[in-house]
Every structure is written in structure tokens, then in C-alpha cells.
Amino acid sequence: MTIETIVAKTDEQIQDALKVRTEVFVVEQQISKDLEFDGLDNECFHFVAYDGEQPIAAGRLREIDSNGKVQRICVRKDYRGKQIGNDIMHLIHKTAKENGIHQLVLHAQESAIPFYEKLGYHISSEIFYEAGIPHAEMKITLI
């Protein structure tokens, strides 16, 4: 298995990221397509991981007032537990720093909080619900 994680540059690569998001969030987690596709994708950096030609993970980074919001981190079910989420997050951190973004925030699904804590994020809110799923806001300062 040779996994390549990239910043999506072409329309095809961005569409690949959206396919993974649809599979994980809309199909698997039953999140409304209207919530998942919020009209903000054209303002974001997109990230996608491939196993050969097959898109297997995705995420996006949106700049808001010189801070970054990490969103839509997802890995196809059959690829979870293989460090691919880490690869996506490390590339997001690298891209953020290259663009002068050093404060990142994200809304982690409660089940994913330990994953983000291992990357250095800390919880900065009480549990709240988005799309019917418990989340917590988490933050990190990149050095």
C-alpha cells in the first residue's frame, strides 16, 4: 500500500476529496448533504490522500481572520487505523504554517477527540451538537 497525501490543486483532485466526504459523512454518518456541502468549499484549501488512483481520505482548511479552521477530516472505513488521518493533519499543519496561519481550531466529533489530542490539540469548549453528533471545539498553536 503506497499512500500519497496531497494538497488538491485540480478540479479532479477536489472532486476526489468531495467523493470521500460524501461516502463518510453523507452515506456512513447520515449527515444531510446540505450540511456537508455548505457552499464554502471554494474558500478552502483541500487535502486528499490516495491509495494508487483511489481517493481514501480528505479534509479542508479554511482561513478565517488569519486563523485556520480545520474541517471535514475523514478517512474511508477500510483505511482507518493506518495513520492516514495523521498524514492529512500533518499536511494541513504544514500548509497552514506556509500561509502564515498559526492558530487552528476545529470541531471534533466526540469519538475523534483522542485522535486530535495526540496531535497536540486541546479542548476549548463544552460538548455541543452539530448534525446531531456530539462535538467539542479544539485548538492548537503551530510553532
Side-chain angles (χ1 to χ4, degrees), residues 38-118:
D38 55 10
L40 300 172
D41 282 318
N42 59 347
E43 303 173 12
C44 300
F45 294 96
H46 292 272
F47 304 85
V48 63
Y50 291 94
D51 180 0
E53 300 286 310
Q54 182 71 35
I56 58 169
R60 76 179 190 186
L61 173 65
R62 188 160 60 103
E63 190 173 353
I64 306 168
D65 301 327
S66 77
N67 291 324
K69 187 162 187 186
V70 177
Q71 300 176 303
R72 310 307 200 262
I73 304 303
C74 56
V75 178
R76 286 184 41 211
K77 192 181 267 186
D78 45 337
Y79 285 90
R80 291 181 196 149
K82 300 180 187 328
Q83 303 300 308
I84 298 160
N86 282 331
D87 294 346
I88 291 270
M89 290 301 295
H90 290 302
L91 184 55
I92 287 173
H93 290 177
K94 178 177 182 277
T95 302
K97 288 192 282 190
E98 288 170 355
N99 286 276
I101 302 167
H102 295 280
Q103 298 288 329
L104 296 181
V105 64
L106 56 80
H107 292 175
Q109 290 186 10
E110 194 172 34
S111 61
I113 289 171
F115 166 76
Y116 293 112
E117 286 176 329
K118 285 181 189 148

Side-chain angles (χ1 to χ4, degrees), residues 23-40:
E23 180 178 329
V24 172
F25 294 123
V26 178
V27 176
E28 181 185 332
Q29 295 186 0
Q30 303 287 299
I31 294 170
S32 151
K33 213 170 189 170
D34 291 339
L35 285 177
E36 175 55 29
F37 297 103
D38 55 10
L40 300 172

Side-chain angles (χ1 to χ4, degrees), residues 67-70 103-110 113-114 116-117 120-128 130 135-141:
N67 291 324
K69 187 162 187 186
V70 177
Q103 298 288 329
L104 296 181
V105 64
L106 56 80
H107 292 175
Q109 290 186 10
E110 194 172 34
I113 289 171
Y116 293 112
E117 286 176 329
Y121 286 79
H122 64 274
I123 295 172
S124 54
S125 77
E126 298 295 320
I127 296 293
F128 58 91
E130 280 185 351
H135 285 71
E137 181 183 87
M138 300 184 79
K139 293 182 177 179
I140 193 172
T141 300

